[in-house]
Amino acid sequence: MRYIATFLLAGLLLVSAVALVAIVPALDGEVQGFEVKQPQWPASMAELKTHYFNADRLLFTLGVIRKPAFVRFGQPGWLFTGDNYSLVYSDAMGELNGSLDELRDIHRTRQAWGQYFAAQGITFRVQVAGNKHSVYPEQLADTPAGDTRLDRFMALQSPPDEYLVNSVPYLLARKAGGPDLYLKTDSHWNALGAYYAYQQLIESLPGKLKTVPAPDADSFTATKAGDLARLLGVQPLLRDNNILVAGAPVTGRHFDTGKQHYVGPSYPVGSLKRAEVFTSPGALNPQRVLWLHDSFGNALSPYMHKTFKEVLHQSYFEGLGDSKQLIDMVQRFKPDIVLITHTERHLGEKVFRHGPRSITELNAADDYQQVLWQFTGQSSGAKNIQPMGDSVYEAANSDPIIELPTLAGCADDCLVRISLEVEHRTPMQLFYRDKPAQGFAPQRSYTRVLTPGPNTVLLRVPADYVAYGLRLDPVAYQGRFLLRQLELLSE
């Protein structure tokens, strides 16, 4: 009896499989503007299970998407990402009411990174890779009815931000009348869209950098369907079109160990948790680039490897997650250029509000109006210094010290304003702690060389450093100096 039941069950499954295999090809043809490839007979039970016992695939052939939060139909032949990913569809419709305070904070943080890198002679740029929804809004199934978060973010940039590169208007201007710049079954740009984004990024950098020639726009070829088709389980049924770009010869090594792990043509380098360095001996330019990016870097990376001699890759979620780690990477790798390229839908991520936890020199103190503390001849914390009257001080030896009080009155950062007149060329150092009860050490200090005569220095200092206590060594000689001003200010 058991054998008869097993036989009947196996027969039922076989009949069901044959029925499904018969139904799916019968529904072949055009589905929502897509040419659906006729499935082949399964070669194994695993293939039968994967390709034929698949409700999503069967629904797709009927023109239905079971989970529109993941993927949505656009105009015929187009797929778009749904709200499961950073509410991207609602944002495209103008329905996402993001916090302007958060956007302003992202703007301020980017300025802080730019000033930090500029102080070290490093060029810094952040490129926003436009959502497919923003570059092809006319291909959405619905009509946008308001501004996107990126629109509101750009409206805050007054005057225009020198560090920010917005790819959306650049790509909009280049899509008119030409080939598609984004894949229809994927959330990313294709090789031509990536090239234009690369071109815009290089144009934003100073100097005359040599660039890779544009790919042949007539060389599109049929390729495997993309990530949106994969999310629907219909990748084997669909095809897309892309340009195949040859990679440059590269050597890859792990940044943390220096161990070589790859030699060959460069390949798409996406969002890496572990930092990797790729060296291109035949690159057009000698610069070293530290590049934090996401999967939009896949199509960009062949152009970048051909352009720059060394490129250090890492996901910005990793690289910006700990600003101290990024500063350490910069100090070890010594890049000429630091780039961040991130997709538009990640614009509001908290990671972009993680600023440099370092001391940065500013040109102006317009935003810092409230005086929290001022040094006077009667202030405590001074060692090896004797007040002589009228802001004149005598350094008893070459190590005069002024310890500033620990204060918690700063929001994100404070400003230390120092006005000194010195008799000799001398280094001035501001030491900080990045944890409580820590000693002062040279590796945690900002140094500025003062020239004979008056000097004014404005230093932006993270709030936690101020709360843990600072120490100023105003000069490094024995003798007199004029300390006109030493203040802590907040916004």
Side-chain angles (χ1 to χ4, degrees):
M1 195 69 184
R2 185 179 61 186
Y3 295 107
I4 293 173
T6 303
F7 175 78
L8 289 174
L9 179 59
L12 179 61
L13 288 173
L14 180 61
V15 170
S16 301
V18 171
L20 267 177
V21 170
I23 290 171
V24 175
L27 295 173
D28 264 0
E30 186 173 293
V31 177
Q32 295 287 323
F34 292 99
E35 283 295 327
V36 179
K37 179 183 175 184
Q38 181 169 329
Q40 302 298 311
W41 284 85
S44 65
M45 285 300 294
E47 189 175 321
L48 178 69
K49 180 180 178 182
T50 301
H51 295 334
Y52 293 94
F53 290 94
N54 185 319
D56 288 326
R57 177 175 297 186
L58 183 57
L59 287 170
F60 181 85
T61 61
L62 296 172
V64 177
I65 290 177
R66 186 164 63 95
K67 296 179 180 178
F70 289 84
V71 183
R72 300 177 67 118
F73 280 125
Q75 296 299 324
W78 289 79
L79 294 175
F80 287 89
T81 311
D83 268 352
N84 192 66
Y85 303 96
S86 304
L87 300 175
V88 64
Y89 202 86
S90 292
D91 187 22
M93 293 298 104
E95 299 169 358
L96 192 60
N97 296 316
S99 166
L100 286 180
D101 286 340
E102 288 182 0
L103 296 179
R104 289 189 184 96
D105 197 19
I106 291 169
H107 170 74
R108 285 194 296 266
T109 301
R110 192 176 56 256
Q111 297 302 303
W113 276 118
Q115 292 158 3
Y116 169 74
F117 291 130
Q120 300 177 67
I122 298 171
T123 299
F124 176 59
R125 294 291 183 273
V126 177
Q127 183 181 51
V128 179
N131 292 331
K132 184 173 160 183
H133 311 61
S134 295
V135 180
Y136 285 95
E138 72 281 2
Q139 300 297 348
L140 293 165
D142 307 298
T143 303
D147 289 340
T148 65
R149 181 168 44 188
L150 180 59
D151 292 330
R152 294 192 292 275
F153 185 62
M154 295 307 299
L156 297 175
Q157 318 304 313
S158 181
D161 189 329
E162 64 178 301
Y163 305 116
L164 184 63
V165 181
N166 178 12
S167 72
V168 173
Y170 197 87
L171 294 174
L172 286 171
R174 281 152 184 80
K175 76 168 190 178
D180 292 332
L181 305 183
Y182 280 64
L183 297 162
K184 291 185 177 181
T185 64
D186 199 284
S187 59
H188 299 86
W189 46 36
N190 59 32
L192 185 59
Y195 178 79
Y196 287 136
Y198 153 82
Q199 187 180 54
Q200 181 195 26
L201 194 53
I202 299 301
E203 288 174 358
S204 76
L205 301 174
K208 294 183 178 180
L209 296 172
K210 297 177 182 178
T211 57
V212 176
D216 182 2
D218 295 325
S219 64
F220 276 86
T221 186
T223 58
K224 186 178 180 180
D227 60 359
L228 299 179
R230 185 177 66 253
L231 285 170
L232 292 177
V234 298
Q235 197 172 33
L237 303 183
L238 305 181
R239 301 289 280 173
D240 217 317
N241 290 287
N242 204 350
I243 297 172
L244 303 179
V245 179
V250 298
T251 299
R253 71 180 193 274
H254 301 303
F255 177 68
D256 52 358
T257 65
K259 184 179 179 180
Q260 181 177 301
H261 67 84
Y262 178 78
V263 177
S266 65
Y267 53 85
V269 181
S271 184
L272 293 175
K273 186 171 184 178
R274 186 178 187 180
E276 308 284 354
V277 179
F278 288 86
T279 304
S280 308
L284 298 174
N285 303 282
Q287 283 86 350
R288 297 156 64 88
V289 176
L290 192 164
W291 181 21
L292 305 178
H293 58 86
D294 51 29
S295 56
F296 270 71
N298 275 333
L300 278 173
S301 56
Y303 305 125
M304 299 293 278
H305 291 159
K306 292 176 182 178
T307 304
F308 298 109
K309 185 176 180 180
E310 276 194 289
V311 181
L312 169 55
H313 297 259
Q314 193 176 33
S315 161
Y316 48 76
F317 285 108
E318 299 297 327
L320 291 173
D322 181 352
S323 56
K324 187 177 179 182
Q325 176 182 304
L326 177 56
I327 289 170
D328 179 64
M329 287 175 66
V330 168
Q331 291 173 346
R332 289 175 56 198
F333 186 63
K334 295 181 171 54
D336 304 291
I337 301 167
V338 172
L339 301 176
I340 300 172
T341 59
H342 69 83
T343 183
E344 179 186 347
R345 68 183 173 90
H346 284 159
L347 176 64
E349 295 286 351
K350 187 180 293 185
V351 71
F352 295 121
R353 301 200 294 276
H354 294 176
R357 311 313 296 161
S358 64
I359 297 171
T360 307
E361 187 163 350
L362 306 181
N363 294 320
D366 298 340
D367 295 333
Y368 298 86
Q369 302 294 331
Q370 182 181 356
V371 178
L372 300 178
W373 173 82
Q374 288 179 322
F375 178 76
T376 68
Q378 288 74 46
S379 299
S380 61
K383 299 177 182 178
N384 304 326
I385 297 176
Q386 180 66 38
M388 307 299 291
D390 294 330
S391 301
V392 176
Y393 293 85
E394 179 85 21
N397 55 33
S398 59
D399 191 26
I401 291 170
I402 300 174
E403 291 197 15
L404 283 65
T406 56
L407 295 172
C410 309
D412 296 316
D413 51 60
C414 271
L415 187 85
V416 178
R417 178 157 51 197
I418 308 158
S419 182
L420 270 169
E421 189 168 334
V422 297
E423 297 179 349
H424 313 287
R425 181 181 174 87
T426 180
M428 178 199 75
Q429 284 183 285
L430 185 67
F431 292 84
Y432 63 89
R433 301 180 175 104
D434 56 18
K435 60 180 67 172
Q438 188 180 49
F440 293 114
Q443 64 266 29
R444 293 185 299 276
S445 68
Y446 177 91
T447 302
R448 165 77 182 275
V449 177
L450 308 179
T451 56
N455 297 262
T456 297
V457 183
L458 304 172
L459 299 175
R460 185 192 60 77
V461 181
D464 49 359
Y465 292 2
V466 176
Y468 299 150
L470 304 169
R471 189 188 93 189
L472 179 71
D473 290 10
V475 297
Y477 64 79
Q478 182 178 351
R480 295 194 176 191
F481 60 92
L482 189 64
L483 182 57
R484 296 188 181 278
Q485 208 169 31
L486 173 56
E487 304 179 313
L488 273 170
L489 301 97
S490 67
E491 293 182 280

